[in-house]
């Protein structure tokens, strides 16, 4: 960026006129942890005097909270940045500046490279540094092109402003709370250990306080988040290490919390205590997102997953013994380097064996810096495509069968918002299924017993049994 641009950005005319309100637009890509981070960045922006904008066109501050997990995710962001550069140029010609921030995992992975590819970016900030946004914004006002992609030692969470009761209420009755970040597993295909750093856990107190604040503002369901959430090892008030099962019990005791979930877990950290929590903690949803990635031991070993297919099936069996109505979802990668037809068949067998309520499947995407990207036996795009389609067809059948099997059952539904039609409300079952039922808006925020009367392509229809609507 030329010096004249720097000066132009620093001129008062680049900011809204006095009295005019400033607005921030934050767009999140990728996983649920990014959604949580985006909300926290919105809290920071609010403290800095920005109101939320619904569209980039209305914003003075634009944040793209990016994902780096697969190649497509990254490419999408560069194309989005191209469009935002145009917007920024237009706005500059109209005498009003826009500050453009790239946050998230792409920011962490590529740092200053982002400025080289798109000089219109003012700030690049990684997931461990976004609590520094106020000072980074001030720096960028003087000299655009600030990069903060280190892993600072300070506790980011302790420095983030809490969400206001208004902001919490606007975000709805189901909320995310990050309890753990980073990953020490180093699966050979995955960038997360490099972009999010080493595993770290928040203290029990910090998590419970945040949940209590959310509950006081109307939140009824919390999903505890971590890249490797079941490796959670926070400390209690006495400095004693605490695992996820105990954290779940502490969270369930917060008044107002009706339902808890957690994601994403690794099979290697699925301990007995956590399985027992599915039996003992009424608020814990009988639904477990537990990525297996492959059903072939050979591929699992090459992936450095540190578990075999049989270990996964054993966890499924033990969880079902503890909580018979528990359902599973998973992530799969097809076309990992060296994956043969026989390996792929083993994955299909595992899927048939478990019977998933839902699943996500991805074509293997080589990520720079990960061991698998350099591995021999990279698989042809056409083979990946074919395997993906076959796997997706199988899990789609299972999803529909699972949905169909809920017809006639009574499920607990937390109503979250108005439905598609007047007089209808929409919520989620314990299994994350969207459920629509006739009823007044006063049901929003209520966990109701709902009899499922039909399964449609992407949702269920139900009748509220209690509380009566
Ligand atoms: N290629 C394809 N899928 C990947 N995932 C992670 N890294 C890659 C990759 N390089 C998938 C895994 C993980 C999910 C979040 O994304 O299935 O569980
Ligand atoms: Fe990536 Fe999950 Fe493996 Fe960690 S456990 S390296 S986040 S796939």
């Amino acid at each position: 960026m030329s010096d004249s641009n720097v000066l132009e950005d620093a001129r008062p005319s680049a900011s809204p006129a006095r009295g005019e309100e400033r607005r921030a637009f934050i767009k999140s890509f990728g996983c649920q942890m990014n959604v949580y981070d985006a909300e926290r960045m919105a809290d920071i922006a609010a403290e800095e005097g920005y109101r939320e904008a619904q569209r980039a066109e209305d914003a003075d501050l634009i944040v793209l909270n990016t994902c780096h997990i697969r190649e497509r995710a990254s490419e999408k962001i560069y194309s989005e940045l191209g469009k935002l550069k145009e917007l920024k140029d237009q706005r500059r010609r109209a005498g009003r500046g826009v500050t453009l921030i790239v946050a998230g995992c792409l920011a962490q992975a590529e740092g200053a490279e982002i400025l080289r590819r798109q000089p219109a970016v003012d700030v690049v900030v990684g997931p461990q540094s976004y609590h520094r946004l106020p000072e980074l914004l001030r720096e960028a006002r003087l000299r655009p092109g600030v990069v903060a992609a280190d892993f600072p030692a300070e506790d980011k969470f302790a420095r983030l402003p809490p969400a206001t009761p208004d902001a919490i209420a606007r975000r709805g009755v189901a909320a995310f709370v990050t309890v753990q970040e980073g990953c020490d597993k180093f699966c050979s295909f995955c960038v997360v250990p490099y972009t999010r750093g080493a595993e770290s856990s928040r203290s029990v107190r910090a998590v419970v306080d945040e949940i209590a604040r959310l509950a006081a503002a109307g939140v009824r369901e919390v999903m505890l988040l971590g890249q490797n959430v079941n490796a959670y090892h926070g400390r209690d008030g006495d400095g004693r290490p605490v695992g996820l099962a105990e954290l779940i019990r502490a969270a369930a005791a917060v008044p107002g919390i009706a339902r808890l979930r957690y994601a994403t877990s690794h099979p290697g950290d699925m301990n007995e205590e956590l399985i027992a929590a599915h039996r003992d903690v009424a608020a814990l949803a009988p639904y477990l997102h537990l990525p297996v990635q492959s059903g072939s031991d050979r591929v699992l070993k090459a992936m450095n997953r540190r578990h075999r297919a049989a270990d996964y099936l054993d966890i499924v069996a033990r969880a079902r013994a503890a909580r018979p109505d528990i359902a599973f979802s998973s992530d799969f990668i097809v076309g990992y380097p060296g994956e043969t037809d026989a390996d792929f068949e083993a994955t299909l067998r595992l899927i048939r064996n478990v019977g998933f309520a839902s699943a996500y499947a991805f074509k293997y995407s080589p990520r720079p810096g990960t061991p698998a990207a350099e591995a021999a036996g990279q698989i042809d795009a056409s083979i990946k495509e074919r395997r993906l389609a076959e796997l997706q067809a199988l899990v789609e059948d299972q999803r529909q069968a699972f949905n169909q099997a809920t017809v006639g059952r009574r499920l607990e539904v937390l109503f979250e918002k108005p439905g598609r039609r007047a007089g209808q409300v929409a919520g989620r079952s314990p299994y994350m299924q969207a459920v629509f039922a006739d009823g007044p808006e006063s049901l929003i925020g209520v966990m109701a017993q709902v009899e499922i009367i039909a399964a449609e392509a992407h949702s269920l229809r139900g009748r509220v049994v209690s509380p009566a609507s």
Side-chain angles (χ1 to χ4, degrees):
M1 183 171 273
S2 75
D3 279 345
S4 70
N5 281 347
V6 173
L7 290 174
E8 209 169 293
D9 257 30
R11 276 186 351 214
S13 66
S15 316
R18 193 192 287 264
E20 226 177 302
E21 70 182 13
R22 298 186 301 171
R23 287 173 174 261
F25 175 73
I26 303 180
K27 181 166 177 180
S28 204
F29 299 81
C31 68
Q32 292 147 329
M33 300 200 48
N34 264 12
V35 175
Y36 175 84
D37 288 341
E39 288 176 356
R40 301 309 304 258
M41 284 189 263
D43 295 336
I44 297 174
E47 234 194 24
E48 292 290 300
Y50 290 91
R51 296 215 332 165
E52 259 178 63
Q54 300 305 318
R55 309 181 315 155
E57 289 78 0
D58 302 331
D60 307 286
L61 177 70
I62 299 175
V63 183
L64 296 188
N65 194 28
T66 61
C67 175
H68 191 54
I69 195 90
R70 285 170 294 275
E71 197 176 348
R72 260 211 5 232
S74 308
E75 285 314 313
K76 210 159 81 187
I77 286 147
Y78 279 111
S79 99
E80 184 97 8
L81 282 175
K83 285 184 225 147
L84 291 175
K85 178 200 181 294
E86 297 290 309
L87 177 70
K88 191 168 170 171
D89 288 347
Q90 270 172 26
R91 293 281 295 270
R92 192 193 300 277
R93 285 195 291 274
R96 187 160 167 175
V98 177
T99 306
L100 186 53
I101 298 185
V102 179
C105 292
L106 181 74
Q108 188 65 44
E110 298 197 351
E113 170 68 10
I114 295 177
L115 299 175
R116 202 190 56 76
R117 277 186 68 175
Q118 185 43 270
V121 172
D122 297 285
V123 178
V124 174
V125 59
Q128 304 308 327
S129 306
Y130 67 79
H131 57 290
R132 293 178 48 210
L133 266 178
E135 74 188 70
L136 298 174
L137 280 171
R138 276 188 286 279
E139 254 180 74
R141 228 161 269 148
L142 301 173
R143 182 168 291 280
V146 179
V147 179
D150 44 1
F151 290 105
E154 72 245 18
D155 180 0
K156 169 181 76 186
F157 293 101
R159 285 156 198 262
L160 291 170
T164 61
D166 266 3
I168 296 169
R170 253 184 289 125
R171 290 169 190 165
V173 298
F176 294 135
V177 174
T178 292
V179 304
Q180 181 277 334
E181 287 191 291
C183 182
D184 296 343
K185 294 284 188 291
F186 289 93
C187 298
S188 51
F189 51 81
C190 185
V191 286
V192 165
Y194 311 96
T195 54
R196 291 273 178 164
E199 274 176 19
S200 72
S201 299
R202 298 176 71 188
S203 72
V204 176
R205 180 82 276 146
V207 172
V208 168
D209 284 353
E210 187 168 329
I211 294 175
R213 243 190 338 268
L214 293 171
V219 165
R220 292 289 164 264
E221 174 182 312
V222 168
M223 187 183 285
L224 306 174
L225 295 179
Q227 260 91 32
N228 212 334
V229 73
N230 61 342
Y232 174 84
H233 55 272
R235 305 233 162 224
D236 70 4
D238 304 325
R240 192 174 55 90
V242 165
L244 184 64
E246 194 169 333
L247 182 72
I248 287 171
R249 285 197 289 271
V254 174
I257 293 301
R259 183 147 77 194
L260 289 167
R261 306 177 185 277
Y262 60 95
T264 290
S265 296
H266 187 284
D269 294 309
M270 210 58 226
N271 60 34
E272 222 34 67
E273 210 192 334
L274 187 52
I275 290 178
H278 278 281
R279 181 189 60 220
D280 302 333
V281 181
L284 185 58
Y287 187 69
L288 182 52
H289 180 62
L290 189 62
V292 62
Q293 314 296 359
S294 169
S296 154
D297 286 344
R298 221 178 54 81
V299 172
L300 288 170
K301 190 159 195 293
M303 286 176 163
N304 192 31
R305 286 289 292 176
R306 310 167 199 216
H307 62 82
R308 291 160 306 160
D311 300 322
Y312 189 86
L313 297 175
D314 184 54
I315 295 166
V316 169
R318 284 188 287 135
R320 281 181 172 148
R323 179 80 206 227
D325 61 347
I326 198 166
F328 291 86
S329 83
S330 189
D331 292 343
F332 295 93
I333 295 177
V334 298
Y336 184 81
E339 186 189 65
T340 62
D341 282 342
D343 292 321
F344 178 62
E345 282 302 322
T347 301
L348 297 179
R349 261 200 313 281
L350 179 136
I351 295 172
R352 287 194 200 96
N353 208 324
V354 174
F356 287 96
S358 79
Y360 303 89
F362 311 100
K363 288 184 279 190
Y364 169 68
S365 164
R367 305 310 286 128
T370 60
E374 310 298 324
Q378 300 287 331
I379 304 289
D380 263 18
S382 62
I383 297 178
K384 286 185 192 169
E385 200 66 60
R386 186 162 49 72
R387 289 182 185 162
L388 182 72
E390 193 173 345
L391 195 156
Q392 281 178 331
L394 175 59
V395 294
E396 176 58 15
D397 282 353
Q398 292 193 340
R399 191 184 69 84
Q400 289 194 19
F402 180 83
N403 288 349
Q404 205 59 52
T406 58
V407 176
R409 276 180 67 186
R410 280 187 185 189
L411 299 181
E412 283 193 320
V413 173
L414 176 64
F415 286 110
E416 295 179 13
K417 55 186 183 192
R420 288 182 283 233
R421 300 190 274 100
Q424 199 185 46
V425 277
R428 288 201 180 266
S429 78
Y431 308 116
M432 295 294 259
Q433 298 151 300
V435 181
F436 292 87
D438 288 339
E441 282 196 15
S442 57
L443 278 173
I444 294 169
V446 173
M447 182 87 108
Q449 286 283 323
V450 173
E451 185 185 327
I452 305 302
I453 51 182
E456 287 157 3
H458 295 288
S459 60
L460 304 177
R461 256 187 313 118
R463 190 171 58 81
V464 179
V465 179
S466 79
S469 59

